[in-house]
Amino acid sequence: MGFLKRIGLAAALLACLTPAARAESITLAVTDVGGMKKLQESFGPFKDALSKATGQEITLLPVETHTAALEALRAKKVDFLLTGPAEYVVIHKQTKARIVVGLLRPDYFATIVTLADSPYRSVQDLKGTKIGLGDAGSTSRHLGPLQALADAGLNPLKDAKVVNFDTRTLWDALKRKEVAAIGMNNANFITARKLEKKMGGLPPDAFRVIAHGPALPSDVLVAGAHVDEQAVEKVRNAVSAHSDELISAIVNGRGNKKYRGMRFVTHVDDSDYDYVRSMYATAGYPEYDKFIGE
């Protein structure tokens, strides 16, 4: 069944519920997790734990793209959405979705890496070179590294040629010297370096970190503008009261290694994401560097 048909079916089912039943049921979606099978494997345990903590029935709804997630929120097909910092900025501007809680990840920042035997010892040395970054639109693998370069005085759109790769290809491109440097999530860098050593490749000291960005803001669970404040507070209070169980449910979900060591934060301000807005401006998308209405 296609995505639009699934959305239509979900809407029809919701419409059939009585007002009282709907008040006790909420719909949850997660960006970057496509398909119901994968969504259930990754976040089914969290959905069950959150349902138990709130005493509410929760339904998982797959959204195939960030745009589909945004449209589902706008159409009130999704009540709560778990998403990353970069996605939040766009979704907030387009739908006025508000933050419920943050999922703060340890050592979550962008890193700029070169080969130790290369002549590139600072960001300024990268002027006129080719720089590899991760998946386009990723907070920590694309937008974050762009901003880290800009913070160090290099205009990445004018002073260098930026190309995007998936994480594995990005690493190989650096080793083959197809790019002068790469920008990536620091956790991905540590993992890739360890795997490189384990596989008998280049030693850890073959790589040089020449810059890194600040700690990035947390992933967020947001509520659609149509969700009343009482329901938002109910979820926020449940997360606060049952933090350990809910963290365990997320971390034990398939493919959720990035959340190891995380903690929930219940006091998150929209202004915490201003640095992400500056990333969009640096990347050439200034429409997302302002608050709604500005």
Side-chain angles (χ1 to χ4, degrees), residues 20-42:
R22 291 185 65 179
E24 295 302 319
S25 178
I26 57 179
T27 307
L28 171 68
V30 182
T31 57
D32 292 329
V33 183
M36 179 56 85
K37 183 176 185 294
K38 185 176 180 181
L39 181 60
Q40 184 62 42
E41 291 174 343
S42 299

Side-chain angles (χ1 to χ4, degrees), residues 124-140:
Q124 292 301 319
D125 292 335
L126 298 176
K127 190 169 185 177
T129 68
K130 182 186 293 186
I131 301 172
L133 302 181
D135 303 321
S138 167
T139 306
S140 61

